[in-house]
Amino acid sequence: MKALLFTCVLVPWLVAASARRSDQDSQLIPGSLSGRELNGYFSDNLKSRRARRALPLADEADDSPIVEGDGTDLPTCLLCVCLTGSVYCEEVSPDMTMVPALPKETAYLYGRFNKIKKIRTKDFADIVTLKRIDLTGNLISEIEDGAFSKLPLLEELSLAENRLVKLPMLPAKLSVFNANNNNLKTKGVKVNAFKKMTKLVNLFLADNQLEAVPYIPESVRILHLQNNNITEVNINTFCRSNDTYYLRPILSEVRMDGNPVMLSKYPDSFTCMKVLPIGRYR
């Protein structure tokens, strides 16, 4: 009789403890994980989140309504996958229409392929640890002035495959900037938009509607301008008309294919470069 009573008390306690551990494991995971553990985490976490959405709460009726909306009222680490310093919010369901509230220690944000339409100044105001932001494949058409101004550590920013018609002020320390596949025209990109970005290495502005080449910092190695509406270049586009000895050995790849400009008409425009731009020559 005593053994039976002990069993009746012990089993519910073990079930509750197991449930608590399971719930803790589905949240933020501290520390780094090996490749095998990381893959397992993504799979298990996804199953766990789906299960939680599918099952009603214990103290609610089984016919409780399904929550609908854009998901902005749900905790970020319930909608996304949070690992130490990284937040993965890719193809989130329900639809994510704005940048979610991020954990304070976030260094890497991957918010690709959602339906974010606007970036507000307050979205990243308190996340000074951000080093990389990837918002590829959203519906972003507007970025408030100063949205990235309080990110002193930001090195990589991707706004590719959105609906931008103009660029915001960009952090001076960026080394990689990708704005491929937008609706950018020259009037939406200030002439000196990249002038103070002395650490910029890769600049991607392909598949837009630019009519002219913006100022390119001397630090740039790879420049993609293909599939725009650029009609001409001049000696000051890449070189300097007042310095015949000026060289740009760092600039190793320039793509201008898919533009109307006939590059062979401007032979003096590339004398400072070690490689010719890819594009039309005849």
Side-chain angles (χ1 to χ4, degrees), residues 254-259 261 263 276-282:
V254 179
R255 287 194 58 182
M256 298 188 67
D257 46 309
N259 283 280
V261 61
L263 297 176
L276 290 173
I278 299 170
R280 294 179 60 204
Y281 287 91
R282 61 180 181 179

Side-chain angles (χ1 to χ4, degrees), residues 161-235:
E161 300 176 37
N162 278 282
R163 299 179 179 180
L164 293 172
V165 295
K166 67 176 182 178
L167 292 182
M169 183 184 301
L170 299 170
K173 292 185 178 181
L174 279 184
S175 61
V176 178
F177 178 63
N178 188 344
N180 285 345
N181 285 285
N182 276 276
N183 299 317
L184 294 171
K185 295 185 177 182
T186 295
K187 65 179 180 181
V189 181
K190 295 181 180 179
V191 176
N192 295 325
F194 307 107
K195 189 169 186 178
K196 295 182 179 180
M197 299 171 65
T198 57
K199 296 184 178 181
L200 190 62
V201 176
N202 297 336
L203 177 58
F204 304 113
L205 297 171
D207 296 283
N208 281 283
Q209 302 172 34
L210 298 174
E211 299 91 359
V213 179
Y215 176 88
I216 308 300
E218 295 196 26
S219 57
V220 171
R221 293 178 180 271
I222 298 175
L223 174 64
H224 285 186
L225 292 166
Q226 66 267 31
N227 302 322
N228 277 281
N229 295 323
I230 299 171
T231 57
E232 65 177 5
V233 294
N234 59 60
I235 193 170

Side-chain angles (χ1 to χ4, degrees), residues 82-118:
C82 297
L83 301 177
T84 301
S86 299
V87 177
Y88 299 85
C89 298
E90 301 186 345
E91 299 183 279
V92 171
S93 178
D95 293 340
M96 179 175 287
T97 59
M98 63 180 64
V99 176
L102 301 173
K104 294 288 186 181
E105 73 278 7
T106 303
Y108 304 97
L109 169 62
Y110 301 92
R112 297 177 288 200
F113 310 114
N114 290 294
K115 295 185 179 180
I116 298 171
K117 299 177 180 179
K118 180 179 180 180

Side-chain angles (χ1 to χ4, degrees), residues 69-176:
D70 60 5
T72 56
D73 57 341
L74 295 176
T76 299
C77 292
L78 178 62
L79 290 169
C80 310
V81 174
C82 297
L83 301 177
T84 301
S86 299
V87 177
Y88 299 85
C89 298
E90 301 186 345
E91 299 183 279
V92 171
S93 178
D95 293 340
M96 179 175 287
T97 59
M98 63 180 64
V99 176
L102 301 173
K104 294 288 186 181
E105 73 278 7
T106 303
Y108 304 97
L109 169 62
Y110 301 92
R112 297 177 288 200
F113 310 114
N114 290 294
K115 295 185 179 180
I116 298 171
K117 299 177 180 179
K118 180 179 180 180
I119 299 177
R120 304 163 298 176
T121 303
K122 65 180 182 180
D123 286 337
F124 303 118
D126 299 323
I127 317 297
V128 297
T129 53
L130 276 166
K131 296 181 179 180
R132 179 186 300 153
I133 298 174
D134 189 345
L135 296 173
T136 298
N138 279 275
L139 305 175
I140 300 169
S141 60
E142 181 183 356
I143 301 177
E144 291 182 358
D145 290 336
F148 304 113
S149 63
K150 296 182 180 180
L151 302 177
L153 302 180
L154 191 65
E155 298 176 353
E156 300 180 26
L157 175 61
S158 179
L159 300 171
E161 300 176 37
N162 278 282
R163 299 179 179 180
L164 293 172
V165 295
K166 67 176 182 178
L167 292 182
M169 183 184 301
L170 299 170
K173 292 185 178 181
L174 279 184
S175 61
V176 178

